[in-house]
Structures are given as C-alpha cells and as structure tokens.
Amino acid sequence: MDDKNKIIRFDWAAKRLLRNKANFGVLEGFLTVLLDEKITIVEILESEGNQSHADDKFNRVDIKARNSKDEIVIIEIQNTREAWYLERILYGVPKTITEHISLGDKYNSVKKVYSINILYFDLGIGLDYLYHGQNSFVGVHTGDKLVINTRDKDVLVQKKPEEIFPEHFLVRVNEFNKVAVTPLEEWVAYLKDGIITPGTSAPGLEEARQKLQYYSMSAEERHAYDEHINAIMIQNDVISTAHLEGREEGREEGRKEVARKMKQTGLSIEMIEDMTGLTKNEIENL
C-alpha cells in the first residue's frame, strides 16, 4: 500500500476515532455485516469499560445500538490479549449488562448482549476464522429446545432462551488466509492487515478508507499510534518466546490432549496430524 494512504488499524480506531458520532457509519457497517441485519448505533456508552488507557483491565468498547427488529441491543468489542480470554468474556458480558440497568429496574429491562471479540492473537485450535456461540437449553433425553412462556402486558409470549441470553462472536483474524470476496471477508481482511480495496461496496469500509487515514492524524496522535503498534509487536515477541521456551514434555502432553478431543469429534486422522504434529500411530493409540 502507498504509505500516504496508510489506514489506521481497527483496534486503535475503535477506542478513539470511532467514538465520534460522525464516524458511527464505520462501526455500523461492520456490525451490520457481522450480525447480518441493519444495525444503527444509538450511542457509545460511557462506562469503565470504555477507558482509553492502553493496558486498562476493561479495554473494550460498549455500544448501544438498535437492530432491524427495533430492539435495543448492547454490543461490546474487545481487542485485548489475555491468557484467560474465555474467562474474560465470561466476566465482561454480565458486567456490561449490570452496568447499563438502573437499580430498581425490572428484569425485563435487561438487554441482550452481543459479545463481539476481535482476536489479534491465537486462541485455541480451529479451522475457521469466525466462531459463533449462544445459549440454549436442550432436553437431555429428548433433544428438544426449551421455549419459555412469559407474560408481556397481559399477553402470553413465547421466547427462546437464545433470544435473551448473550451471543458470542470470536473473530480470529490471524486465521484469515484467503482472497476477500464477500463483505464479511473484506472486513476481516481489513481487521487483519489494515488494507481496504478502493471502491469496496462492503458497508462501512469505504467510509473507513476515507476517514481512518494515518496521515490525517496529528503528529502527537501518530506518535501514540506508532507506540501502540510497537507495544503489540513486543508483546507478540514475548508470547512467542514463552512458547518456544516451554517444556517439551508439557507441549507434547498438550498436543495429545487436543488430539484426543479432536478424535472424539470425528475429525480425520490426517487432519489431526496436520494440526497437532503428532504421528498417525500416536493419534490412533490415544
């Protein structure tokens, strides 16, 4: 890319530039593509979750938005690297809910949360760059999904638990290695490499290409951004070094445990070989 057209990384922009209402279109485009429905941002919620310090514990962006069903939803975007990331998600979602419900409010005012996690580091082993999970209650013996009957203004309403409980999206940007064709793929390509193709039709991306120019920032802002990128590179080096210096027997046992679980899910021996480095005999004997 021409250095003069260098585009700011999304994780930096989301914490700073995209908090400006004039730039809401960028975030709306990303969320619309990811959730596959029109999303309109109402406000960037002010909470401890929106602290701007580079290493604060609650380094996420809380967004109050309205979806195509005219429902208010709360969406959080997390970018921080942490060893216990799933535990971080578990901690962050209920915190987001409780931060944005007033004392004395009825429980029916609790809003559904979409936990969108953009991961700039390796998390687990999987074949996809996008994973989605949500809560449902399934009969242990029957396999059917439970539907809850509730009353809303004296009208009996049936709701599925997944309509209320949080949904989680894990975007593993490092695992994206293909030519971007769809709007979602174009977005993930930008998340990974900071590259946006001129003339893109993906919602929000053309606006991002125009508004998130590196040289549109002040010298002070560029310096802070460069320091942020440098810190990320150092952190990645530290993590890589820690992996290399880990005890071989520990890594071996870890690979076997992962392979054992893959085998239980029905993955082929050849695929398990490629992903874990174990031999065919080792896998067959697990």
Side-chain angles (χ1 to χ4, degrees):
M1 175 188 296
D2 184 349
D3 193 49
K4 291 183 178 180
N5 293 319
K6 182 178 178 181
I7 299 172
I8 302 164
R9 275 174 55 124
F10 182 81
D11 58 329
W12 174 271
K15 288 291 289 183
R16 292 162 178 81
L17 303 180
L18 299 184
R19 291 170 59 82
N20 186 325
K21 188 173 183 179
N23 297 331
F24 277 4
V26 177
L27 278 174
E28 288 174 344
F30 169 64
L31 297 172
T32 293
V33 168
L34 182 66
L35 300 178
D36 196 26
E37 62 175 321
K38 177 62 178 176
I39 300 294
T40 303
I41 294 176
V42 177
E43 61 179 318
I44 303 292
L45 296 168
E46 295 302 330
S47 72
E48 62 182 321
N50 283 329
Q51 297 176 45
S52 295
H53 195 272
D55 59 357
D56 78 71
K57 184 178 179 181
F58 308 103
N59 186 20
R60 66 180 195 266
V61 179
D62 293 346
I63 302 168
K64 185 177 182 181
R66 191 179 298 275
N67 65 11
S68 61
K69 295 183 286 294
D70 203 33
E71 299 170 330
I72 293 294
V73 295
I74 298 172
I75 300 164
E76 59 178 87
I77 299 175
Q78 302 188 58
N79 304 281
T80 303
R81 295 160 172 76
E82 287 190 12
W84 308 104
Y85 201 84
L86 292 182
E87 289 81 356
R88 173 184 171 84
I89 295 173
L90 179 63
Y91 174 83
V93 169
K95 185 169 184 63
T96 298
I97 295 172
T98 56
E99 281 180 359
H100 306 298
I101 182 173
S102 299
L103 186 64
D105 283 350
K106 293 183 179 180
Y107 286 121
N108 63 2
S109 63
V110 170
K111 304 304 179 185
K112 178 167 179 172
V113 173
Y114 290 84
S115 176
I116 299 169
N117 304 274
I118 303 171
L119 310 180
Y120 287 92
F121 60 97
D122 293 331
L123 179 71
I125 297 175
L127 302 179
D128 211 329
Y129 64 88
L130 177 63
Y131 285 83
H132 172 237
Q134 61 184 147
N135 295 74
S136 61
F137 294 94
V138 180
V140 174
H141 303 101
T142 61
D144 68 308
K145 286 188 176 183
L146 182 66
V147 176
I148 308 297
N149 290 327
T150 60
R151 285 196 174 274
D152 186 7
K153 297 178 181 178
D154 296 325
V155 177
L156 190 64
V157 178
Q158 288 190 333
K159 288 187 176 180
K160 299 177 182 177
E162 52 264 38
E163 295 179 282
I164 303 169
F165 281 82
E167 292 187 37
H168 301 277
F169 290 84
L170 302 179
V171 186
R172 305 165 73 230
V173 296
N174 291 341
E175 301 304 316
F176 182 77
N177 294 296
K178 58 189 299 186
V179 176
V181 177
T182 67
L184 177 60
E185 290 169 349
E186 288 188 76
W187 258 104
V188 178
Y190 163 54
L191 297 179
K192 180 179 181 180
D193 300 319
I195 296 175
I196 302 175
T197 304
T200 177
S201 60
L205 273 186
E206 181 59 31
E207 185 172 348
R209 194 179 70 84
Q210 294 176 12
K211 294 185 175 181
L212 303 184
Q213 294 288 330
Y214 175 78
Y215 282 100
S216 67
M217 295 190 295
S218 67
E220 182 180 0
E221 290 172 329
R222 289 200 301 270
H223 175 73
Y225 175 75
D226 291 340
E227 288 296 306
H228 169 71
I229 299 301
N230 187 52
I232 289 173
M233 293 176 66
I234 292 173
Q235 184 181 47
N236 288 340
D237 286 343
V238 170
I239 293 173
S240 297
T241 300
H243 283 308
L244 291 173
E245 293 178 352
R247 292 183 304 168
E248 182 60 37
E249 60 270 25
R251 295 203 301 271
E252 182 74 7
E253 186 58 32
R255 287 199 297 269
K256 287 183 179 179
E257 179 60 26
V258 170
R260 189 176 293 112
K261 291 179 179 179
M262 288 181 169
K263 192 175 178 182
Q264 291 173 352
T265 64
L267 286 177
S268 68
I269 298 295
E270 292 75 19
M271 186 174 293
I272 298 174
E273 282 183 289
D274 289 340
M275 297 181 68
T276 65
L278 297 176
T279 67
K280 181 178 180 179
N281 288 336
E282 287 175 323
I283 297 169
E284 290 177 341
N285 292 329
L286 292 175

